[in-house]
Amino acid sequence: MAGATIEIENLTKDYPYGFLHLKKKRSLEGLTMQVEDGEVFGFLGPNGAGKSTTIKLLVGLIFPDAGTASILGKPITDIEMHRDIGYLPEQPYFYDYLTAAEVLDYFARFHDLTAADRSERVKRMLKKVGLETAGKIQLRKYSKGMLQRVGLAQAILHDPKVVILDEPMSGLDPIGRREVRDIILELKREGRTVLFSTHILSDAEMLCDRVGVIVGGKLRGVGAPGEIVGMKTQGMEILFELPASTATSTASANAAGILAKAAKTGDRYRLQVTEEELYAALEQLRSAGAKILSVTQVKATLEEYFMHLIEADRAQAAAVEVSGK
Amino acid sequence: MKRAGAVALNTFREAVRDRVLYNLVFFALLMMAAAIFVGQISIGIEELVIKSLGLSAISVIGLLIAVFIGVGLVYKEMDKRTLYALLAKPVRRWEFLLGKFGGLVLTLAVNTVAMAAGLLAALVYVKQHLERTDTVLFVAIYFILLKLMLVVALALLFSCFSTPLLAILYTSAFYVAGLFVEEMRTFQFATPNPAASWLLRGLSYLLPNFENFNVMAAAAHGREIPGALILQNTAYAALYCIIVLLIAAAVFSRRNLK
Ligand SMILES: Nc1ncnc2c1ncn2[C@@H]1O[C@H](COP(=O)(O)OP(=O)(O)O)[C@@H](O)[C@H]1O
Ligand SMILES: [Mg+2]
């Protein structure tokens, strides 16, 4: 078995649209990347970037216009490949006339498991995703977050070697997100390979060995989360309070200049400075009698990074257009 | 095959949990009860009335179920995206289609048996006993089931690429046109226009010939049905279903889900 666990080569997908489907919109362009054995790989990109398109190509729900991909050395067109993968669709939906236990048992039937094994696994999975008490309720009564949990359970029910999750944290409350993160980390500990998509940087930073950033159907970079995004700090933010007693004193006069630069919300001030200015600013605040609440690094948000890439795209497109004339 | 079986059982389970189904079957049984009273008014032909009304009810209710559930078999799973998680499992698309087909045919078979039991009960109630000629009823019911299988196969095919509303239209059009296949065969020799003759000939082969399956009149009158017709209809239905399912599989296997 040569190569990576997930091997993607020049994968391209066009969606036809318009009159008689004559026009085509390219939603994935020449994607080439690898996911290595046992790693957690985050697929990062804004909405409409092509994340779901890539994942649906990998699991065989749609077919590429060009390019190939293989998982565990088997081409994605090979049905055998499906034995070893688990997939959580984006905003999953299941047969609403079934209970969670029934739907999991149904999916388990496609994996050559004995009846006893199936029922044992179903119970274990329901417990794992926190649905043990809701297992006998029809899915039509489930909330979005609960369906997401069912989706996760069916994706890992058969102990797949490769787990592919499309926006696993979306639709979940903070506790749910945390539980999903724990499950992903557990999968990693068990030596499984995980590919998941997200548009939330912190999820990726917390979990991934590597991330791939995709914008506008094109892969923009692959690497450790820190290398790719957000590491260029934009300075430091100081959060502080000024006791009312000192507000009129001469000390505060010293701080007047710095206060003018700070943003006030309620009793608190927020001041952004460069890394070089940090100690001088802290000194000034100390002499003004300010109470420092926190100092944090300000990173570019993923949104800003995406915007930056999208703007670069537009500039390039404009340049091409000009030179073309 | 095991995987197609799992899909079939789930399809059956969905139908069984749908209240509409019970209402339809209940309606059919109600019609048979009504037939008893209609029969009592028309003295002497009460048996005939019960048999023809009963068989018609079985056929019509079966057709309604076949068409209305059939056109949603694939479309609904694509539209609601219940298919996404399933197709990522080690299941081939044709296995899924076969399972869907089998599940609805199983549903129809169970319903038809239930309605047939109702019909026999009505007969026994009126006649107090059954005769040898009444066995023709079973042949008529078997033919209805074969006909329903053809309709399910067609509905399933249309369900692979069009919305339920259009699929209902297509399936009904095929069904109605299929009732006139014999007429097309005779008329193709009568028309002087060679193009029309060709068209009619082509259509008469393409369309399912539903006329052969209609033995309700014979059954109602207790006339014998030749064994050759039973064989012929069975083979015809099997072949036609296989061809339609193969086309459906070819269409669906290439299809991109939304
Ligand atoms: N079924 C479809 N038909 C037409 N266009 C589609 C379809 N699915 C996705 N697209 C387009 O392809 C692009 C990528 O979509 P998607 O892969 O869903 O993005 P993401 O998952 O990153 O949010 C989008 O511009 C979207 O509009
Ligand atoms: Mg998406």
Side-chain angles (χ1 to χ4, degrees):
Chain A
M1 198 185 83
T5 299
I6 302 179
E7 189 80 60
I8 301 174
E9 185 76 40
N10 190 36
L11 215 53
T12 300
K13 178 70 187 169
D14 295 327
Y15 282 114
Y17 70 98
F19 180 65
L20 291 180
H21 284 197
L22 288 174
K23 292 182 198 157
K24 290 200 162 162
K25 175 184 185 302
R26 179 145 295 186
S27 57
L28 193 64
E29 188 162 339
L31 177 72
T32 299
M33 70 176 211
Q34 290 83 31
V35 177
E36 304 296 338
D37 186 34
E39 78 175 340
V40 177
F41 190 97
F43 209 28
L44 268 173
N47 286 333
K51 304 182 297 292
S52 298
T53 301
T54 307
I55 288 176
K56 284 193 273 184
L57 285 167
L58 285 178
V59 296
L61 297 178
I62 55 178
F63 305 102
D65 289 280
T68 56
S70 66
I71 297 179
L72 294 164
K74 297 185 187 108
I76 50 174
T77 46
D78 183 355
I79 192 80
E80 290 299 311
M81 177 274 285
H82 290 255
R83 288 182 191 286
D84 295 319
I85 65 165
Y87 164 58
L88 166 70
E90 186 174 22
Q91 296 172 7
Y93 193 81
F94 303 101
Y95 308 96
D96 54 16
Y97 51 90
L98 297 184
T99 68
E102 283 170 338
V103 92
L104 291 182
D105 180 74
Y106 175 55
F107 286 133
R109 279 169 194 268
F110 297 91
H111 286 289
D112 298 330
L113 302 167
T114 64
D117 194 9
R118 283 205 309 269
S119 83
E120 186 272 324
R121 273 166 198 262
V122 168
K123 269 202 212 93
R124 189 151 48 86
M125 286 303 138
L126 285 174
K127 187 153 184 267
K128 190 169 202 160
V129 298
L131 290 175
E132 57 225 297
T133 52
K136 295 208 169 67
I137 299 174
Q138 284 199 351
L139 295 183
R140 67 175 87 244
K141 303 208 176 86
Y142 271 42
S143 69
K144 207 170 155 241
M146 286 162 91
L147 285 175
Q148 190 85 8
R149 288 160 191 260
V150 177
L152 199 60
Q154 63 81 30
I156 58 179
L157 174 88
H158 52 291
D159 292 331
K161 294 198 185 86
V162 177
V163 183
I164 300 175
L165 311 169
D166 199 349
E167 308 261 0
M169 272 81 131
S170 81
L172 294 178
D173 56 18
I175 299 168
R177 303 175 87 83
R178 165 100 197 251
E179 283 168 354
V180 171
R181 278 205 294 269
D182 288 345
I183 289 176
I184 293 178
L185 289 174
E186 192 179 330
L187 291 170
K188 182 183 161 63
R189 270 200 304 280
E190 292 165 352
R192 302 180 207 287
T193 308
V194 182
L195 166 69
F196 78 93
S197 74
T198 180
H199 57 267
I200 296 158
L201 178 62
S202 60
D203 288 339
E205 274 185 325
M206 235 174 285
L207 291 169
C208 298
D209 298 304
R210 289 194 306 147
V211 295
V213 177
I214 182 171
V215 177
K218 290 184 210 142
L219 190 68
R220 299 315 185 89
V222 180
E227 291 168 21
I228 292 298
V229 275
M231 273 297 106
K232 296 169 286 293
T233 66
Q234 296 185 328
M236 309 298 281
E237 188 183 73
I238 308 168
L239 187 66
F240 62 92
E241 275 174 3
L242 217 49
S245 56
T246 63
T248 51
S249 73
T250 49
S252 72
N254 293 340
I258 213 162
L259 280 184
K261 283 194 276 176
K264 188 174 188 224
T265 39
D267 290 339
R268 293 176 171 191
Y269 294 84
R270 225 170 257 283
L271 176 67
Q272 197 168 332
V273 296
T274 65
E275 263 171 287
E276 294 79 47
E277 293 168 348
L278 178 66
Y279 289 103
L282 285 176
E283 188 56 37
Q284 268 182 298
L285 287 172
R286 191 185 63 83
S287 65
K291 183 177 166 204
I292 308 291
L293 297 170
S294 71
V295 178
T296 45
Q297 220 176 20
V298 182
K299 292 178 185 176
T301 63
L302 194 61
E303 287 69 30
E304 283 165 338
Y305 180 69
F306 290 152
M307 283 313 294
H308 167 73
L309 287 176
I310 291 167
E311 269 155 29
D313 262 8
R314 291 215 185 101
Q316 199 187 7
V320 168
E321 214 162 278
V322 169
S323 67
K325 275 178 189 169
Chain B
M1 250 338 181
K2 227 167 74 185
R3 299 186 287 240
V7 176
L9 281 182
N10 191 48
T11 307
F12 179 68
R13 183 160 54 175
E14 172 174 15
V16 169
R17 290 191 183 175
D18 195 343
R19 241 176 260 113
V20 178
L21 192 77
Y22 295 109
N23 290 337
L24 284 173
V25 174
F26 177 73
F27 182 71
L29 295 176
L30 208 67
M31 255 174 86
M32 285 168 209
I36 296 175
F37 294 106
V38 177
Q40 277 166 351
I41 302 166
S42 38
I43 302 156
I45 56 161
E46 54 190 1
E47 187 186 334
L48 189 70
V49 170
I50 290 173
K51 282 180 178 173
S52 11
L53 263 178
L55 287 175
S56 304
I58 291 173
S59 171
V60 169
I61 300 294
L63 277 174
L64 284 177
I65 297 173
V67 173
F68 282 91
I69 298 185
V71 294
L73 279 179
V74 180
Y75 181 85
K76 221 169 83 186
E77 293 228 13
M78 289 198 283
D79 191 49
K80 290 196 163 177
R81 293 181 293 111
T82 47
L83 199 48
Y84 284 41
L86 181 65
L87 287 186
K89 307 279 177 243
V91 57
R92 293 177 182 84
R93 291 198 179 187
W94 66 261
E95 291 174 323
F96 167 75
L97 284 186
L98 189 63
K100 281 278 152 185
F101 174 76
L104 184 48
V105 169
L106 178 65
T107 309
L108 285 166
V110 170
N111 288 328
T112 306
V113 166
M115 291 187 282
L119 174 56
L120 285 184
L123 265 185
V124 171
Y125 174 81
V126 173
K127 297 207 302 183
Q128 307 299 328
H129 69 286
L130 291 178
E131 302 160 78
R132 221 188 88 74
T133 50
D134 291 330
T135 51
V136 183
L137 277 179
F138 293 108
V139 179
I141 290 166
Y142 173 63
F143 281 4
I144 289 175
L145 211 52
L146 288 181
K147 177 179 78 173
L148 294 179
M149 278 172 68
L150 290 183
V151 175
V152 171
L154 286 169
L156 182 85
L157 170 63
F158 298 131
S159 178
C160 289
F161 57 80
S162 63
T163 60
L165 210 62
L166 279 178
I168 288 175
L169 218 67
Y170 295 148
T171 313
S172 318
F174 260 72
Y175 180 73
V176 173
L179 294 173
F180 296 100
V181 166
E182 292 299 335
E183 283 77 358
M184 289 179 196
R185 293 222 169 110
T186 35
F187 197 65
Q188 67 171 287
F189 300 111
T191 171
N193 184 340
S197 170
W198 255 91
L199 182 71
L200 285 173
R201 198 187 155 98
L203 276 177
S204 71
Y205 283 115
L206 182 72
L207 293 168
N209 185 349
F210 285 120
E211 217 153 61
N212 283 347
F213 294 92
N214 187 0
V215 289
M216 283 189 214
H221 287 100
R223 283 199 300 269
E224 208 53 53
I225 291 169
L229 185 64
I230 300 178
L231 273 181
Q232 185 202 321
N233 276 352
T234 307
Y236 179 85
L239 196 67
Y240 201 94
C241 282
I242 289 172
I243 292 172
V244 173
L245 288 178
L246 282 175
I247 298 172
V251 170
F252 188 59
S253 294
R254 283 173 186 75
R255 178 151 185 156
N256 285 301
L257 299 190
K258 270 183 300 174

